[in-house]
Each structure stands twice: as structure tokens, then as C-alpha cells.
Amino acid sequence: MKRYEELSEMLATDIRNGHLAAGSRLPSIRTLTRQHGVSPSTAFAAYYRLEEKGLVRARERSGYYVAGLGRHRLAEPVQTQPRRVPAQVDISELVFAVLGAAQQDDIVPFGSAFPSPDLFPLPRLARSLAAGARQTRPQDTVAGLTQGHPALRQQIALRYLRLGMAQSPDDLVVTHGALEALNLCLSAVAQPGDLIAVESPGFYAGLQALERLQMKALEIPVDPKEGIDLAALAQALKRHPIKACWFMTSFQNPMGASMDEARKRALVALLAQHGVPLIEDDVYGELYFGQRAPLPAKAFDTQGLVMHCSSFSKTLAPGYRIGWVSPGRFGQRIERLKLMTTLSASVPAQMALADYLQHGGYDRHLRRLRHALEAQQDSLLLAIARHFPAGVKVSRPAGGYFLWVEFAAGFDTLRLHREALAQGISLAPGPIFSAHRDFRHCVRLNYGHPWRPELEAAMATLGRLVQQQG
Amino acid sequence: MKRYEELSEMLATDIRNGHLAAGSRLPSIRTLTRQHGVSPSTAFAAYYRLEEKGLVRARERSGYYVAGLGRHRLAEPVQTQPRRVPAQVDISELVFAVLGAAQQDDIVPFGSAFPSPDLFPLPRLARSLAAGARQTRPQDTVAGLTQGHPALRQQIALRYLRLGMAQSPDDLVVTHGALEALNLCLSAVAQPGDLIAVESPGFYAGLQALERLQMKALEIPVDPKEGIDLAALAQALKRHPIKACWFMTSFQNPMGASMDEARKRALVALLAQHGVPLIEDDVYGELYFGQRAPLPAKAFDTQGLVMHCSSFSKTLAPGYRIGWVSPGRFGQRIERLKLMTTLSASVPAQMALADYLQHGGYDRHLRRLRHALEAQQDSLLLAIARHFPAGVKVSRPAGGYFLWVEFAAGFDTLRLHREALAQGISLAPGPIFSAHRDFRHCVRLNYGHPWRPELEAAMATLGRLVQQQG
């Protein structure tokens, strides 16, 4: 056994027997070198080996941490197999019933769509609100509002530039959250009766938009590791008159699936070949756990067919309701629809975010937020491993704050949802993520909240409810 | 001749020969008493007489002012006679072409849809933004957002109470401006293909909403003094399957027409009889020039059929994008549509307005704003009398900030619009206010801006363009 293997095995034992607790920080490379009299490269090799085994996770600029044992032994779901027929969408009532029931203030928020607002820098944002208000001229409140304030569009364009994407502020349209952007994009490219390709499972608000606009859904298989099945999409494009696609390409809601850059490039090429627009919902892209921000599919768009939608609602300031779209060739249509429906985004919120993005330390905040979410994912995985039956499958997103849990076939998460609610616990049952109301044996869990004993206790309660049904 | 008649005649001569300029303030009753050795009741009688003649206007808590001579000699338009057939709406391109052309910063804003932002208390609002931000708890940014922040709904309910209307904050839905409220109401009660009754002329955004949602318009005659012709509406309700009405009952855009309380009561009763919902657009109600706020039609609604929509965009804070709807029986549907499309209004703007309404002196601001608008109406009427041909007809709204000018039949305001634009002057030509593109000889003029030499010069230029065409 080589020196690094010995070291790695020793640490693995400490992790498995609990001497090193899940989520705790491991010694730095320098400390390890000093303590064990090994070279830095040996210390690195030991940690790499532990990482391969899933016992340790590296975090950018922060060192190595003990991973939840859960992630080690929990299996992942396989690619979904949705019904390959277009569906009339009739899901809203179910979604409202499920979400409405979970509206109490003191509920355990595993069903929530947002991370904890305690993770956001509200006091710093309040300072930016005041600064932005001071910079607002009277004419800023009435003139040329629809596209969004130039200072904010400039700052958003700079965020694209950090990804290596040239994005003119002149093309961006600021919206009332990403939800408005996505709805405007859909109205801009499709009519009642048209067929829209969505992910299976996919974001319920997308399905609700189709229902509201009387469009039909075609569900495309999703692999929890790789995202949209491109072969299946290619086949669907041949067989059906798909008018547009509404996909989440990074840390997809609800599975957490992400397409890698090669797949995103291939997706854009495939859609360009068919002349089909892509509504790209990218609200979680900034919440990556790796070393590097994932590029959106928009980065590979040469035809202006990709409408890239995002917002600050999941990363910084949920209640501000500021999102945007980089609309490709559909800019005028989207702007006009916006002018007719909501006129413009709220000026104080725009001015505040323009100031914050320039002076507030957004990247520092994002780093902290990513580390917090990653640690919370470990905690939830560990709790799943501890409290749920051995056979459950769990996705392992490399970003965002949602896990997708698959129980045995026949398990009923709508029932689990009702029973959990009675115990003061919310969760998001699978059927709200499918036009066919499939995925009844699956559930989406939110790990966007700092781990605390109440969450652990709630997972134990859920575990009991699962066993009872079992 | 009685003493008050002598006094009145003397003052009238001073006004007619220009010794007392239009818009200037007349001596107070006390001063008049002292200067002319008359009793207060004689002084009052003299002013009443001048008011009857249209030479003087009383302003609440502010005294008497010289009216524009224009208002004295300008005729008013008569009731409109729209085509009594349903119309497919195809007006958006024209509206965008007209509005888009007038987007430059330095244009003379007779075509603007807003009053001057200089009339709004922006520094005071900035203080309320900061105060509101301090009061925002983290959970306020994510929980229970769709209906709107309770503190703001409470303040809006108190505004209803001032009108003597009992309105529970629990029923109100805060929206992203009145425009969103109106669009949500329309979607809540009608489907593509449905027929909606609108005013003729009527607000173009209403027509655009019908076009976007593929609904049809039936235009109802409007009298510039009395508003909607109820007999014509009653007939239309019998002959056509009208699904809903979208009316502006006070200081209607573009004519400035208002229904009195008896007519509003009759309107509500008529619609109740047919079970037809009323979408009441009441964004100008607070901008009354008289002694008393007009009641909305909603005040007479016992069936929950009236959806009363308003906002702070025309009275206080245009860029904040905060409106609301008192939705009657359609609350849940409207709230759900909102949840699906924009989720919620911007939290910082809501918190700021809640603080401002409580502490900012809204009523003081409104009194100043009403006086400013009333004086500006006089100035515009005078400029019309001075620069436009003798035969033009002009509406005389008792509130708001729009005048409707009717030229001789055959006059082309789309041409006037183009020619005025070339001179740096915007205006709103009649055809954008009609599904049939009628009213080509009419124009809407905005008097929402403090009168200044540039506006007078622009009116002289418009007068020349009118003469050239005429």
C-alpha cells in the first residue's frame, strides 16, 4: 500500500466510524503534511482518493470537507421514460392545492421553491435601495421604462462577460422576475394549440403557463446526471410539430440535472436545424458547486433562437422581482408584450440591484451561498440515508437546492404529502412536475435552508411516514 | 344693477381685457370686502356669478382663480357614435408606431400618458424606501407574496374607507401596476373569442389586451360630460353576448368623461341584471378638481361583479409599479393567474408605499397635485383658444390630465401626429383609441406638465400645422 493510500484509508476509517463528522472541515494540505510527515503531493493524492470514494468533497477556495455518508451509499435514479404523446395540460388545480396547503409560516420547508431568505444580504441590499433612490432622476420613473434601466442592463451584461459571453445591454430586457420573462417568451413564439417540449419531470410553472395559454406539452426524458435526452428530443422533433422548447439546462428543477457544455452545444445545434426556439430557464446557473460557472446553452447560439431567462430571485433578492431575458431575435416581440401587460419592472428594485451589483460584493455573497447550499445538500443526503428505506434513489445535483427522491414503484407521494402536512412538513410531490401527473413515487426536497435539529427531526418523521406506507 | 352684479361686471372687464391674467389668483373674499366696502356675502355672490360665466374657477382651500378665456368660448364635443358591430382588434402595431416614435427624452409631451414626474414627491418617497427596507423581515421576501404585503393592503383599505367604502384588506390583491390588474381581470372572466364592451373612444391598452388575448371589442358611445351612454349599453347587452365590460368611470382616458354617481349606480344595476362583470379602471379617480372625490362604480356593487382596479402610478410613484384590484367574486381566479405569471409585486416598492401612505402626507401631496393639474388645464385650454381654429371642440374634464380635441370632419390627426413629431412635439391621435381606428379628426392632449414657454410655443406650432392642413 502506497503512503497516500495508507493516509487515505486512515482518514476513511475516521469518517466511517464518525470520528470525523459529516460536513466538518478536514485539515488543510499544509497541516496534513506537517502532522503525518508526508509531501504535499501525497496529501493531495490522499484527498483525491477520498473524493473518488465520495467520502470527501472539495469546495472552491475553502478546502476539503467530510461528505455525508448518504451520498456514498444512495443510488441515483435513472433516466425518466415519459409517455411520448402530446398532452393537454390540466395541472394547475393540483399545483395550487399542493402549494396552497403548504403556505403556513412555521411549516418545515422541504417543499419550498426558494432558499432560505436568511442566506441573502438584506441589510446590504437595503443600503443599495437607499443609494439607488438617491440616484433616481424624476424622468427615470416614466421614460423608456419597458426595456429596463440602462445601469442595471449594463451590470447584467457584465455578468455575461464573466462567462466569456458578449452580450450588449441594448438587447437585454429586464422583467418582473424570471417567471415573467419565461411567460413573455412563450407568448412571443407560440399560440394557443401549439405544442411545446418540456422536461419530464419539469418545472410546474412551465406546465401552468401552457395550460393558461391553452398550449400542449410534450414531455422529453431527462437523465438526472446529463439532463435532456438529445436522441429522444431529436426523434420528437421529427415526429411532432414542436413550436418551442422550455428547458432548464443547469441544475434543473426538480431533478437537479445539468447538461454539460458539449450537450448544450448539441442541443442548440439540433434546435437550429429545426428552426425551433429554446426558452432557456437558467435561474440556478449561479448556484454551482464546482470550480467554474456552467455556460448556458445561449453561449452556443448563433441564430438568435435561444431566449436566455434568469433572475436575482434565487441568488440574491427574491422579493425584488427582477429578472431578465437575453431574447435573441425575439426582442421586439417580447418587449411589446411586456409593454402591454406590465409596462416595466419596478424602478426602485432595479436601481438598488444596479448599485448592489456594482458595489455590494455579489461574488463574495454567491461564494458563501454556494458553500452553504453544498453543505446543506450533504446534510440532507445524510438524513435521507439515515431515515429513509435503503432502496430509495436520490439525485446528486452539482448545484442548486433541490434533490429528487425516487421511492419504490407504487409508493404514493401525494399521500405522503398529505400525511407530512398534517405533521407540519411540506414537500413537493412528483405529479405536479408532469403534464401526465406521473412521478407519483417521487418527491422533490428543498435543501435551501441552513440545517438545524428541526429539519433532522422532520426527516425522521418523514422516514416513519415512508416506512408506514412502505 | 345690484352691488354684486356691478362688482362682478367690473372684475369680468378686467379679465376680458387681460388686466387679470388667466391662471392668476383673485383677491380673497376678505380683501375684496375691504377694497370695495362690500359685505362678504356680496363678494361671494360676485365670484359665484363670475364662476357661472366660466371666467373664474374656485379651487378647494385655495380661493378663486381667473379661468382661461378658452374654456369660455370653446365648444365641447357631443356624444360619440361608434359603429355598433363587434370588431376583431388589430390596433397594436399602430399604437406601437405612434407611441414608439414619441420616445425621445426632449420631446414636448402632449402625447404622454403620464403627468410630469416633477409633480411627485420623489425625495420623500426615497425616505420611505429606506424606512420600508428597515422594516422588511427576511420572510417578507418569500412568503405569501402573491396577494401583496399586509401593511400595504391595510393602507389601501383605509383609502377606500375615506370614500365611505368598507373594503377588507383580506380581499385586495396588490398588482404590478393597474395595467397588470386590468389584464388579470380580463383573463379571469373571458376567453379567446369572447366579446368585451369598451368605451368609444377608449384606453388603447384595453384594446391591446383584447387583441393579445384574441377577444373582440364592442364600442359603446361616450358623452364627454356624462360618460358611457347607458341606453346604448342596455341595447348592446340585449343584442350581443357581452362577456365583460372594461370601463373607466371617472376622468376617462382619452376624453376625460365622468359618470356621476346616479349613472354609476345605474351602470352597476344594469350589469347585475345581465350578470356581466365590470372591469373598472379607476386610475384617475384621485385627480378630481371638485370638492369631493368621486365614488367609483364599485361603491354600488352588491353582487361582487365589479373588479375595481387602481394604482399609485398616476398620483404618486409611476416607476414603482404598484397597483391593486378589489376583485369582488373573482379574487381567487385573479390571484392564481398572478401567481402563474408574475408571482407578486416588488417588495421594496410595496414596503415604501405602505410607509409613505402612513407617514408621508399623501393627501397634502394630492391636493397640491390636483391644483397644479387644474391650473395646467386652464393654461392648455387658453392655448387652444389662442392657437387653434375657432371651430375646434374641446372636452372639459373635471379631473385627470387629458383633454380631447375634436377638429372638423376630414381633419387627419395621424398626419398632424407625423408633422408634429418632426417638430419635436408628441400627441396622441384619435385612431389609437378605437378598434375601428375611428376618431381620425380627434386628438388627446396631455396637460400633466407644469406650463412653461416651450409648451406655449409648441401649441403655436401645432396651431400652424392645423391651419396648414385645414
Side-chain angles (χ1 to χ4, degrees), chain A residues 93 176 319-320 336 344 347, chain B residues 93 176 214 319 336 344 346-347:
Chain A
E93 281 301 323
H176 189 63
Y320 282 49
R336 288 182 165 192
S344 74
V347 170
Chain B
E93 281 300 323
H176 189 62
Q214 299 177 21
R336 286 183 167 191
S344 74
S346 184
V347 170

Side-chain angles (χ1 to χ4, degrees), chain A residues 11-87:
Chain A
L11 290 165
T13 305
D14 280 353
I15 291 170
R16 292 204 182 95
N17 66 20
H19 279 150
L20 289 169
S24 66
R25 193 170 164 203
L26 287 159
S28 68
I29 294 294
R30 185 198 286 207
T31 306
L32 206 63
T33 307
R34 210 173 46 229
Q35 284 179 342
H36 298 276
V38 297
S39 70
S41 67
T42 300
F44 268 118
Y47 278 159
Y48 281 139
R49 185 148 177 100
L50 289 168
E51 217 181 342
E52 278 173 10
K53 291 181 176 171
L55 292 172
V56 150
R57 300 189 89 174
R59 284 185 204 149
E60 191 197 359
R61 301 192 201 191
S62 175
Y64 289 87
Y65 289 76
V66 178
L69 283 180
R71 70 165 44 248
H72 189 57
R73 74 167 174 79
L74 292 167
E76 284 193 69
V78 297
Q79 179 172 304
T80 60
Q81 295 186 305
R83 311 180 206 184
R84 306 206 168 187
V85 290

Side-chain angles (χ1 to χ4, degrees), chain A residues 46 81 152 169 179 189 193 207 229 387 393 413 440 452 466:
Chain A
Q81 295 186 305
L152 178 59
L179 186 60
V189 299
L207 296 173
D229 178 344
H387 302 295
K393 293 174 179 165
T413 55
R440 190 146 181 164
R452 54 185 203 269
V466 171

